Amino acid sequence: MKVIVSGGGTGGHIYPALALINEIKKNSSDVEFLYIGTENGLEKDIVKRAGIPFKSIEISGFKRKLSTDNLKTIARFFKGVSLSKKYMKEFKPDVVIGTGGYVCGPVVYAATKLNIPTMIHEQNSLPGITNKFLAKYVDKVAICFEEARKYFPSQKVVLTGNPRASEVLGQDAEKGRQSLGLKANQKTVLIFGGSRGAKAINEAVLQMIPLLKNKPYQIVYVTGEVHYDKVMKEVESLEDSSHVMIKPFIHNMPEVLASVDLIVSRAGATSLAEITALGLPSILIPSPYVTANHQEKNAQAISENHAAMMIREQELNGELLLTHIDEILLDDKKLAEMSKASAELGIPDAATRLYRELLEIANK
């Protein structure tokens, strides 16, 4: 089988694509892949580092107001379709899947025009403009949140979950604890603001640190590499920060996730897939800086099912964050109920489900 995968811009589109590729490789050694992305997105370096053949096209997003840039975007779209068709005629794929980002528009559309079986994967509860456009043309639409179903043609939609969820399972929790020097007999909170960190979360944690004395739990706080030096300078002026372990970045995140009891994070689709696959309760602080405020919709989907508490960034402060952490970790009944609700939302076999759907359309 030959598979073309396209997805770009952010890790939230790229890492699910790589998780799917890993799942296919696990099940079959006789598969060839081609990844089509852009030169200026994160995907170029990440995909090449994973050893997957990579081709690029040029594409940009539409501006939401009248702009001459939109004319350039339309021209790039048709040029991208033409180049994608060229790649496909050379590679001869059996199936094409898009995992989100502007680059999927011309790539997946080109495949539909060549009558190649196609599928898109929507990670968020509120779909992006590219996937809404492509849904009219593709054979199948895979979703991760039931809330996304209403935006697509009902006969094409299948709930698969996010394949990244499958990659955090079966990890060694003890190894995760040891890698950070955590105490084995104490509840643990992991606080992070995504790969780059989040200024608002950092500020709230700094406000919270002086209030943490005598708490019966430990905190791992990931600042993001960009913010680390500034945060550490501020921490030096605090009386006691020994009960908080501060890291710029965690490279063995799946192992660490397996070792913690509560997550405080943004509400990106990939993070939520991992959190619910593990049945972890969470405190979600959605980023207000994303398209169509989709992280808040993601967070609502989890919090309305009692698996998380949500704090909007404009309401966030150290005292409120600590109150929510205490509310969950100091009440064993609430912790167990939220863990159960989170596990019920999780789709731990998401990679297998997505692979099965891909095979089905390829075989047709």
Side-chain angles (χ1 to χ4, degrees):
M1 187 164 73
K2 290 186 170 188
V3 182
I4 284 182
V5 181
S6 181
T10 69
H13 298 311
I14 303 158
Y15 290 116
L18 294 181
L20 173 63
I21 289 169
N22 289 337
E23 178 68 17
I24 297 170
K25 283 180 176 176
K26 254 186 355 192
N27 285 277
S28 175
S29 57
D30 191 25
V31 182
E32 287 181 55
F33 297 97
L34 175 64
Y35 198 111
I36 303 179
T38 63
E39 287 289 323
N40 52 1
L42 291 174
E43 61 271 21
K44 183 185 177 185
D45 291 337
I46 293 170
V47 171
K48 285 189 173 180
R49 205 160 54 240
I52 298 156
F54 181 86
K55 297 269 190 187
S56 66
I57 61 169
E58 187 184 1
I59 190 65
S60 52
F62 274 100
K63 299 279 187 276
R64 291 180 178 266
K65 54 189 179 185
L66 282 173
S67 168
T68 53
D69 286 343
N70 285 340
L71 295 174
K72 291 177 188 172
T73 295
I74 292 166
R76 286 188 190 117
F77 176 86
F78 286 109
K79 190 178 175 186
V81 170
S82 177
L83 190 52
S84 296
K85 282 182 177 179
K86 178 177 174 286
Y87 294 151
M88 287 170 198
K89 284 171 183 173
E90 290 167 358
F91 185 71
K92 297 183 172 55
D94 297 290
V95 65
V96 174
I97 179 166
T99 58
Y102 299 127
V103 68
C104 290
V107 175
V108 176
Y109 181 77
T112 66
K113 293 299 150 189
L114 293 173
N115 294 315
I116 299 164
T118 50
M119 183 176 186
I120 52 173
H121 182 258
E122 176 55 61
Q123 294 92 30
N124 292 295
S125 56
L126 181 67
I129 190 168
T130 305
N131 276 350
K132 281 183 185 171
F133 161 73
L134 290 172
K136 297 189 285 286
Y137 303 99
V138 298
D139 299 293
K140 198 161 280 193
V141 179
I143 60 171
C144 301
F145 291 89
E146 276 295 348
E147 288 78 1
R149 191 180 289 273
K150 63 189 176 204
Y151 298 99
F152 298 117
S154 58
Q155 74 280 8
K156 294 182 179 182
V157 179
V158 58
L159 178 72
T160 62
N162 189 319
R164 275 287 289 187
S166 305
E167 297 205 324
V168 297
L169 299 175
Q171 298 290 331
D172 189 336
E174 183 56 34
K175 202 173 165 188
R177 269 192 294 271
Q178 286 176 357
S179 72
L180 295 175
L182 294 168
K183 294 171 188 168
N185 57 349
Q186 219 173 52
K187 287 175 183 167
T188 307
V189 188
L190 173 63
I191 303 175
F192 66 100
S195 56
R196 291 190 177 92
K199 186 169 176 281
I201 295 176
N202 289 341
E203 287 169 357
V205 175
L206 287 167
Q207 291 166 12
M208 187 176 73
I209 288 174
L211 310 173
L212 286 170
K213 286 175 186 171
N214 305 317
K215 293 294 181 185
Y217 49 77
Q218 56 197 335
I219 290 178
V220 178
Y221 162 39
V222 185
T223 63
E225 288 175 340
V226 177
H227 304 282
Y228 182 72
D229 290 339
K230 186 173 186 293
V231 167
M232 291 310 290
K233 199 169 182 183
E234 300 233 14
V235 166
E236 282 170 18
S237 65
L238 300 175
E239 276 183 34
D240 182 15
S241 61
S242 58
H243 32 278
V244 181
M245 181 166 297
I246 303 172
K247 297 281 181 186
F249 190 79
I250 289 178
H251 291 279
N252 61 329
M253 188 59 93
E255 286 174 349
V256 171
L257 284 172
S259 71
V260 306
D261 302 278
L262 174 67
I263 301 284
V264 177
S265 75
R266 290 301 203 191
T270 298
S271 293
L272 297 188
E274 294 168 346
I275 289 167
T276 55
L278 291 164
L280 287 168
S282 53
I283 297 168
L284 301 174
I285 304 151
S287 170
Y289 314 108
V290 295
T291 308
N293 201 24
H294 69 256
Q295 281 205 9
E296 187 168 321
K297 303 291 190 302
N298 292 349
Q300 282 171 342
I302 306 295
S303 61
E304 284 169 6
N305 282 286
H306 313 294
M309 292 180 170
M310 180 173 76
I311 305 175
R312 290 180 178 87
E313 188 170 291
Q314 64 266 32
E315 300 159 358
L316 179 65
N317 59 59
E319 199 173 326
L320 180 62
L321 181 56
L322 183 60
T323 299
H324 281 348
I325 291 172
D326 281 352
E327 203 176 322
I328 298 167
L329 279 192
L330 303 185
D331 182 341
D332 286 341
K333 185 169 180 278
K334 187 171 188 67
L335 181 64
E337 285 171 352
M338 288 182 73
S339 298
K340 184 171 181 283
S342 177
E344 285 170 357
L345 290 174
I347 307 178
D349 63 339
T352 304
R353 290 190 188 195
L354 190 58
Y355 173 48
R356 205 163 48 221
E357 297 297 336
L358 198 69
L359 268 183
E360 190 181 301
I361 63 165
N363 290 334
K364 277 182 182 175

